[in-house]
Amino acid sequence: MDDLTEQVLGIVASIPAGRVMTYGGLAREVDTGARTVGRILHGGGHDIPWWRVVNADGRPYSGAADRARIKFLNESTPLLSDDPDVRVDLAQARWAPAETTASTEPVQPQQDH
DNA sequence: TGCTTGACTTACG
DNA sequence: CCGTAAGCCAAGC
């Protein structure tokens, strides 16, 4: 197991239920490319909360969106129910590792791209 | 060694 | 909101 894989999987495993993280955000944390993060999740095994990692649009892995939707509903993850496809409300669900220590700070709003 | 591929992102029209 | 383009990084062939 590479150090990079170990870091990524470690961070993914640290994401609390009801929260998600983007590929790009993870990539910035481990200082690598966003595509690399996706590759690690694909080959990192299914014993990880892969549904808590979504792309910049707030969508999970397209090939398992159904399974991800179940998980989101089960974990009460903030979703944008307005859209036909499963989509996470990143403005509320976005999470970062450093946020664990400073939980008193309010979440910062995200502009609409 | 070199080219293709992909569970991605950001920017521009 | 949608399509296009360029940048990105590791794995596979």
Side-chain angles (χ1 to χ4, degrees):
Chain A
M1 182 106 79
D2 298 8
D3 291 340
L4 187 62
T5 305
E6 193 174 342
Q7 291 181 70
V8 172
L9 295 182
I11 295 177
V12 172
S14 302
I15 303 176
R19 291 297 203 90
V20 298
M21 204 167 172
T22 63
Y23 289 94
L26 261 171
R28 275 185 69 102
E29 290 294 329
V30 300
D31 194 38
T32 187
R35 313 194 73 130
T36 305
V37 176
R39 185 183 316 286
I40 292 173
L41 260 61
H42 185 235
H46 294 76
D47 47 323
I48 57 174
W50 53 265
W51 58 89
R52 293 179 191 159
V53 181
V54 298
N55 61 12
D57 294 336
R59 292 188 180 199
Y61 167 43
S62 306
D66 298 341
R67 281 170 273 179
R69 182 167 49 86
I70 302 300
K71 293 293 184 181
F72 289 148
L73 293 177
N74 187 30
E75 298 180 355
S76 302
T77 306
L79 299 178
L80 298 178
S81 305
D82 302 324
D83 295 336
D85 293 331
V86 49
R87 203 149 169 268
V88 177
D89 186 0
L90 291 176
Q92 298 183 41
R94 185 174 257 234
W95 181 84
E99 193 178 326
T100 51
T101 54
S103 57
T104 56
E105 305 257 348
V107 293
Q108 302 171 357
Q110 192 81 10
Q111 65 179 8
D112 187 22
H113 184 234

